[in-house]
Amino acid sequence: MLHIPILRGGEPYTSLETLEVPHFRTGEPLVRVSQANSGLIAKDLTASKRVLQDLSPDELLTICKRAAHAFMEDDLPLGEVLQSPREYVQQLSATTGIPHALCKQNMRKIEAVLINMEAVLSGLTRGLDLEVLRSDFGSNSKSNLSFSPQTPVLGAILPNNSPGVHALWLPAIPLQVNLAIKAGRAEPWTPFRIVQAFLSAGCPREAFGFYPADYSGAAEILKRCGRSILFGDQSTVREWAHNKRIQIHGPGWSKILLGQDQADRWSEFLDVMEHSIVSNGGRSCINASGAWVDSNGREVAEALASRLAAIEALPMDDPAARIAAFTDPNIAERISGMIDDHLKTPGAEDVTARLRGSGRLVKIGGCTFLLPTVIRCD
């Protein structure tokens, strides 16, 4: 069986406590992941030292570009073996239910962020000369500036839903901030591979802590890091929602709004609406979950439903696959049942069901899918 170790200062560490992550379709264990307890995490974070300030901004940007190539093209360490890009896609899909096409699409997103990191940092810093990261002082066109990092280590409590979210913590490295990463239970593959890509590109090992852990381990990272990002559902983020040191990601309640001034032009925005709803298989926390219109509601619902009803459940390796399978079929069944219960409300109609002539819950090749669904409520 494959094994993914903890990384302590970038060095592999095998824990006595491990977690077996199964193949979502067969239920057979696919990988054993070493688990970090809160005491180990606390010890490492207490001893953590900033090591990236010894490299110039230009050197770190070059490392990012080399890491982009390694992430996309190279065979990289995965425990005691090497993982090819093809194996990464297969293993990522096997534990998350994400089709290969979307895995590759998210790989390209991560690659693009690493390659274009200089532009990313320019946006984050409003064009600040990056030499300020080394000197602590700089200037813009109007005044002198000082720079002070808010934390030596950025904590990252990461999700399972989509590998593309990992692009968000990549700027920490060129900003000379170490990382303490808690991977999602079913998705240790992407953050581990990104770290290995950075290491192969010449980034100092001491900048990386990789800590697969339970809730107590995640809480230790959030308590000890001066700044953190946290992904999770409402129950996960509620405890930390008012902590100013922690940036919350999720849950997503994004909406499409068509006001009175644009209502009659709704057909011009169909591409945007479709993309907002189904891009990345609907898995991103910013995917739109509803469309609110001032008028023409029936027409908009019919047009959207016509597009979404054409999306099919396809095998994981089909290049045309656009939606992911549920790793737990019971969740898909419960969601579909909940929708059916709400459809008993007068004035609510599943428009997609009428157009495609089939149910939304589909089982194919041992995988369970929920087809995209448009419900019009009058």
Side-chain angles (χ1 to χ4, degrees):
M1 190 188 302
L2 294 170
H3 171 244
I4 296 179
I6 298 166
L7 296 178
R8 306 180 67 185
E11 296 293 341
Y13 177 87
T14 300
S15 172
L16 292 176
E17 182 181 355
T18 61
L19 176 72
E20 291 185 355
V21 181
H23 192 297
F24 84 94
R25 192 171 66 248
T26 67
E28 293 294 319
L30 179 66
V31 61
R32 190 175 72 253
V33 184
S34 280
Q35 299 294 290
N37 60 47
S38 56
L40 179 148
I41 293 171
K43 181 178 180 181
D44 285 4
L45 291 179
T46 300
S48 178
K49 297 179 180 179
R50 293 185 68 201
V51 294
L52 296 173
Q53 65 267 43
D54 294 334
L55 298 172
S56 71
D58 285 343
E59 288 173 316
L60 288 170
L61 290 173
T62 298
I63 285 174
C64 286
K65 291 179 180 179
R66 289 202 297 257
H69 177 83
F71 178 75
M72 289 294 294
E73 305 292 341
D74 291 355
D75 292 352
L76 296 172
L78 182 74
E80 298 177 354
V81 301
L82 291 178
Q83 179 196 58
S84 69
R86 181 171 177 269
E87 289 168 331
Y88 160 73
V89 168
Q90 293 172 336
Q91 291 156 357
L92 173 62
S93 177
T95 59
T96 63
I98 301 173
H100 295 187
L102 293 185
C103 293
K104 294 173 184 176
Q105 177 181 304
N106 281 284
M107 283 186 79
R108 291 190 289 272
K109 178 179 179 180
I110 292 168
E111 177 193 33
V113 170
L114 287 169
I115 289 174
N116 297 289
M117 186 60 74
E118 185 172 4
V120 172
L121 294 182
S122 179
L124 292 173
T125 65
R126 295 172 174 81
L128 195 62
D129 184 346
L130 295 181
E131 279 299 320
V132 73
L133 302 180
R134 286 208 297 176
S135 65
D136 295 338
F137 295 95
S139 63
N140 60 14
S141 59
K142 295 182 179 180
S143 60
N144 293 327
L145 301 170
S146 64
F147 173 85
S148 177
Q150 298 298 291
T151 180
V153 183
L154 174 70
I157 311 302
L158 302 173
N160 296 309
N161 59 309
S162 172
V165 300
H166 300 297
L168 290 174
W169 52 266
L170 300 180
I173 295 302
L175 288 172
Q176 301 177 342
V177 176
N178 292 0
L179 284 159
I181 298 167
K182 187 268 178 189
R185 179 184 181 279
E187 218 285 73
W189 313 101
T190 305
F192 193 87
R193 183 171 177 82
I194 290 174
V195 171
Q196 296 302 323
F198 269 116
L199 296 181
S200 73
C203 199
R205 306 188 73 88
E206 297 84 356
F208 298 99
F210 179 81
Y211 303 110
D214 59 14
Y215 176 81
S216 64
E220 196 68 35
I221 292 174
L222 293 173
K223 287 187 290 186
R224 289 186 175 270
C225 290
R227 291 289 187 274
S228 295
I229 56 176
L230 169 62
F231 293 84
D233 60 19
Q234 191 173 8
S235 62
T236 300
V237 304
R238 183 182 294 115
E239 179 182 350
W240 309 95
H242 301 292
N243 191 320
K244 295 182 179 180
R245 298 183 300 105
I246 299 171
Q247 186 182 82
I248 301 296
H249 292 266
W253 290 313
S254 299
K255 300 292 185 287
I256 297 164
L257 302 177
L258 276 180
Q260 187 177 24
D261 59 330
Q262 302 293 332
D264 291 335
R265 298 176 56 202
W266 62 267
S267 61
E268 300 176 34
F269 308 118
L270 274 177
D271 287 345
V272 172
M273 287 191 276
E274 180 185 9
H275 181 77
S276 299
I277 294 165
V278 302
S279 179
N280 199 30
R283 280 216 169 187
S284 299
C285 59
I286 59 172
N287 280 111
S289 56
W292 297 73
V293 298
D294 181 80
S295 58
N296 303 309
R298 183 179 299 279
E299 292 84 352
V300 175
E302 293 279 348
L304 267 181
S306 178
R307 292 187 175 209
L308 270 58
I311 297 175
E312 301 177 89
L314 298 171
M316 291 293 101
D317 58 356
D318 192 312
R322 296 180 65 188
I323 55 173
F326 278 74
T327 56
D328 184 348
N330 295 323
I331 295 177
E333 292 169 2
R334 288 199 297 269
I335 292 174
S336 188
M338 180 188 69
I339 293 172
D340 287 334
D341 286 342
H342 283 299
L343 282 170
K344 297 174 184 176
T345 304
E349 178 196 4
D350 184 344
V351 186
T352 36
R354 169 165 48 81
L355 293 175
R356 67 175 163 244
S358 65
R360 76 183 69 86
L361 186 69
V362 175
K363 296 188 178 184
I364 178 175
C367 301
T368 301
F369 298 86
L370 280 183
L371 297 178
T373 301
V374 174
I375 296 169
R376 178 178 176 269
C377 301
D378 63 9

